[in-house]
Amino acid sequence: MSAHLPLRSSLLCLFRLLLLVHPAFAAPLVGGNTYPINGVQNPPTSFGTITNAVTFLTSQGVTGSGQVVLQLLSGYPGDTAPIVIAPISGVSATLGVTFRPGSGFTATTAIAATSTDHYAIQVLSSYVTLDGRQGGVGSTRSWTIRSTGTTSPTQSGPAVWILASGSVNGVTVRYCTLESQAATPRPDVLKLDFGGLVGDLLNGAIVEQNLVRGTSGNAGNGIRVDSVGGTLTIQNNSVDAVSAGGIYYFGQHTGLVIAGNTITSTLADVSTTDFNGIAVNWNMSPGASVEKNLIYVSGVSGSTGAVRGIHVGSAGQTGSPLR
């Protein structure tokens, strides 16, 4: 009987190893817990990169309640390829996933665009939060998300691209520094979009307290919205160094609020098109609220287009007025 002990011990060690490294033997991440992203790939105890963590999440999902926190810590090496946060099983209004830097750590995620993927982070899952605050507290932006690429045909695109392919709920981007570095064509720094089909809805999204800017003087719009759905709140963001516009809204949301944003671009380019501090297609979102925004534009180049603080497109809308 004792002769079988080494074999049994070896099998037990092998099983434990499979639990750690093989998704088929893993378990969902649990709400209320924090998991480090620190360069050490030892799932689910720790993850080497955001990509490693996302791969595990989309394979195993989450369970419990509260927030599953993926925390960037010392040792995080950055990611090297565009990150896609695909739908995560188990998320709900009471169980979300938050990515953020840990206490005392300032993180940078800079992704070079490829010929096919023009973004740093793409969010396809519901109830995902990108929070740039250390430990999720305070008001300091400690996470820079940057899309890079300055030579055609490899162009950078959005730093963050929220895409509703199906129904996507409760996505939040807050207290991040979002940057896009590009040649041409001019990319938007933060983009909210939908897949183009009935049922592709973005509901309850919040974009707040971010610094949104271009880094090479050729970014397009700071925040561009083409999505459809329920409530959307864009508030208290600072937008600078964009050449096409601050906030461009051509979406269709039943509850739209654009409030408290500061747009101070010094790179307005009207060589081929207009520059709008805030552009709102009101006929698609009657009753929308646009209030308490500060818009200051200087250093205008070109002479073909117009420069506007707020541009409202109505197209004969007869519904609730814009506030």
Side-chain angles (χ1 to χ4, degrees):
M1 181 175 181
S2 60
H4 296 287
L5 288 177
L7 177 60
R8 181 179 300 174
S9 178
S10 297
L11 289 173
L12 181 59
C13 289
L14 177 60
F15 179 71
R16 287 174 175 169
L17 178 64
L18 287 171
L19 282 174
L20 290 175
V21 302
H22 199 292
F25 293 89
L29 299 187
V30 180
N33 288 282
T34 299
Y35 301 87
I37 301 176
N38 59 1
V40 179
Q41 180 62 6
N42 185 27
T45 303
S46 65
F47 298 94
T49 64
I50 297 174
T51 298
N52 294 147
V54 166
T55 298
F56 189 93
L57 278 167
T58 54
S59 170
Q60 300 304 312
V62 295
T63 189
S65 61
Q67 290 291 309
V68 172
V69 177
L70 282 303
Q71 194 151 263
L72 303 169
L73 297 174
S74 178
Y76 167 60
D79 284 75
T80 58
I83 300 165
V84 179
I85 305 177
I88 300 169
S89 63
V91 293
S92 68
T94 58
L95 176 60
V97 175
T98 295
F99 295 85
R100 72 187 188 202
S103 178
F105 185 66
T106 299
T108 298
T109 302
I111 306 295
T114 69
S115 58
T116 55
D117 298 316
H118 306 284
Y119 50 82
I121 299 179
Q122 184 183 67
V123 180
L124 304 175
S125 178
S126 295
Y127 302 109
V128 168
T129 297
L130 306 180
D131 188 341
R133 298 172 298 169
Q134 296 182 3
V137 297
S139 58
T140 301
R141 302 182 185 99
S142 297
W143 186 11
T144 297
I145 303 172
R146 180 185 303 130
S147 175
T148 68
T150 59
T151 304
S152 182
T154 301
Q155 307 296 340
S156 73
V160 174
W161 181 11
I162 302 170
L163 178 61
S165 181
S167 182
V168 173
N169 305 305
V171 175
T172 299
V173 182
R174 58 164 59 107
Y175 290 98
C176 294
T177 297
L178 307 177
E179 299 178 343
S180 182
Q181 178 186 43
T184 55
R186 298 179 299 187
D188 304 308
V189 184
L190 171 60
K191 187 172 184 179
L192 294 82
D193 205 353
F194 76 116
L197 300 176
V198 175
D200 290 345
L201 303 175
L202 180 63
N203 304 307
I206 299 173
V207 176
E208 62 182 3
Q209 299 287 355
N210 301 287
L211 173 58
V212 182
R213 63 189 180 191
T215 59
S216 66
N218 209 28
N221 295 285
I223 301 171
R224 176 171 179 136
V225 181
D226 293 295
S227 53
V228 176
T231 60
L232 169 62
T233 302
I234 302 172
Q235 63 185 9
N236 301 323
N237 301 283
S238 296
V239 180
D240 190 21
V242 292
S243 57
I247 299 173
Y248 179 90
Y249 177 84
F250 202 76
Q252 188 172 352
H253 286 265
T254 55
L256 170 67
V257 176
I258 300 175
N261 301 285
T262 300
I263 299 165
T264 56
S265 184
T266 58
L267 299 169
D269 181 0
V270 293
S271 298
T272 58
T273 187
D274 300 340
F275 182 95
N276 299 299
I278 298 176
V280 178
N281 192 359
W282 168 55
N283 65 298
M284 290 188 175
S285 296
S289 174
V290 180
E291 59 184 23
K292 299 180 181 178
N293 299 284
L294 171 64
I295 302 170
Y296 177 79
V297 180
S298 64
V300 178
S301 62
S303 59
T304 304
V307 177
R308 306 183 184 94
I310 297 178
H311 177 64
V312 178
S314 63
Q317 175 67 34
T318 59
S320 300
L322 177 72
R323 297 186 290 116

